[in-house]
Each structure stands twice: as structure tokens, then as C-alpha cells.
Amino acid sequence: MGTSDHILIVEDDFEMARVLRQGFEQERFSIHVAQDGEEGIHFEQSNHLQAIVLDVMLPAKDGFTVARERRALVGSGGPRQMQFFSRLAF
């Protein structure tokens, strides 16, 4: 992977974040874990990311709010592409 292969994981569950981080690091991605939506937004604004793994149920700012704010950046010259995937656990 190149130097721009950075992934942000926004996840407040420590064990889930650990498993995700471990998997991506095995594939040689550079990983940053944010534990809430505020931290995730702040990190994204100052870093070039290839992808964001975003939990929905987060403290401070939930994943839906983070996604809305992220979309607003598209109109102001921010990153253009966004894809959303969902995994629901029952």
C-alpha cells in the first residue's frame, strides 16, 4: 500500500475497534481509531483518508450526524466520493 492508504475507524466499542484495526493493519493500511463522532470529524478534516469505517451509535455525535457533516464537505470542495455500507446485527 502507498503512503495515502489511511483508514479512519470511528467506533466506541473497544473490542470491535481492535478487531477492525488488526484486520486492516494486516493488509498494511495505516489506521487511526476515533472513539466518538467529534474526534472522527476533527481527524478527517486534517488528514487525507482513503476510507472511513463509521459506527452509527456513537457518543457525542452519532454516525448519521457525522455522515451528514461529511456530505456537506463535498459541496465545499471536500472529498467527492462517499459510499455507505451497513451491517446490522440482530
Side-chain angles (χ1 to χ4, degrees), residues 34-62:
Q35 295 195 351
D36 64 52
E38 286 286 342
E39 182 185 350
I41 289 171
H42 177 73
F43 186 83
E44 181 193 7
Q45 290 174 341
S46 58
N47 293 276
H48 177 76
L49 301 170
Q50 183 175 0
I52 300 171
V53 178
L54 178 62
D55 186 14
V56 173
M57 303 294 287
L58 294 167
K61 202 173 268 194
D62 67 52

Side-chain angles (χ1 to χ4, degrees), residues 16-90:
M16 178 62 77
R18 185 190 67 76
V19 169
L20 289 167
R21 172 182 224 137
Q22 184 178 25
F24 284 119
E25 285 178 341
Q26 286 178 353
E27 296 299 323
R28 303 196 186 270
F29 285 95
S30 175
I31 304 299
H32 179 81
V33 177
Q35 295 195 351
D36 64 52
E38 286 286 342
E39 182 185 350
I41 289 171
H42 177 73
F43 186 83
E44 181 193 7
Q45 290 174 341
S46 58
N47 293 276
H48 177 76
L49 301 170
Q50 183 175 0
I52 300 171
V53 178
L54 178 62
D55 186 14
V56 173
M57 303 294 287
L58 294 167
K61 202 173 268 194
D62 67 52
F64 293 116
T65 301
V66 171
R68 265 193 305 278
E69 291 181 12
R70 168 76 171 64
R71 280 186 182 143
L73 293 174
V74 173
S76 63
R80 298 185 110 137
Q81 290 186 348
M82 288 181 65
Q83 295 181 347
F84 289 92
F85 301 92
S86 176
R87 182 185 78 72
L88 299 175
F90 294 95

